[in-house]
Amino acid sequence: MYIPTQEERYSKAARLTLLLCIIVPSGVVVWLAGGGLSDCAAAFLLPLSLLLDKMGFNTTAAASISALVQFFVFFWLTRNRRLTPKHRLTIAITWGMLFALIVRIAIYQAAAALQ
């Protein structure tokens, strides 16, 4: 029976997989908090946009800048040839889970402020 090497297993990580590793964790957190489908799809933009919103940007500008920053970082991640596929996947998963944690903390603080 043929067992692929570690390099062969991780070389299949396509851009869609990396993108889903970034978007889905935050979306699941918002979905579990009772958010709608559009809220879940845009939840990964929330951590940077909240920071920019506190700096004085309006909501639309903050979300747009957050989307641009994340697009450029994702573009760098997919085009960087020095990173192995395993490192790319690890960065994408860490990025997605960190943003999910930040979204969860923001939801918790918003709920605590309402009480």
Side-chain angles (χ1 to χ4, degrees):
M1 182 167 113
Y2 174 71
I3 299 173
T5 64
Q6 186 176 17
E7 187 66 31
E8 290 172 341
R9 283 192 309 246
Y10 286 106
S11 67
K12 304 287 186 211
R15 287 186 193 111
L16 180 63
T17 305
L18 295 176
L19 189 63
L20 289 176
C21 287
I22 296 166
I23 293 174
V24 169
S26 298
V28 169
V29 168
V30 170
W31 177 69
L32 289 173
L37 184 60
S38 62
D39 295 335
C40 293
F44 73 103
L45 299 175
L46 195 59
L48 287 179
S49 66
L50 286 175
L51 178 66
L52 293 170
D53 196 27
K54 295 220 185 258
M55 291 174 55
F57 290 92
N58 64 17
T59 306
T60 307
S64 300
I65 293 170
S66 174
L68 273 172
V69 167
Q70 292 197 44
F71 169 75
F72 286 123
V73 173
F74 180 76
F75 185 75
W76 169 81
L77 182 65
T78 58
R79 296 292 180 193
N80 192 343
R81 298 293 171 208
R82 289 183 288 164
L83 294 175
T84 64
K86 182 179 180 180
H87 288 130
R88 285 187 192 120
L89 194 59
T90 303
I91 291 169
I93 290 171
T94 304
W95 177 7
M97 295 305 284
L98 174 67
F99 276 26
L101 175 67
I102 294 170
V103 168
R104 179 63 188 122
I105 291 170
I107 290 171
Y108 178 75
Q109 287 180 344
L114 291 176
Q115 293 179 356

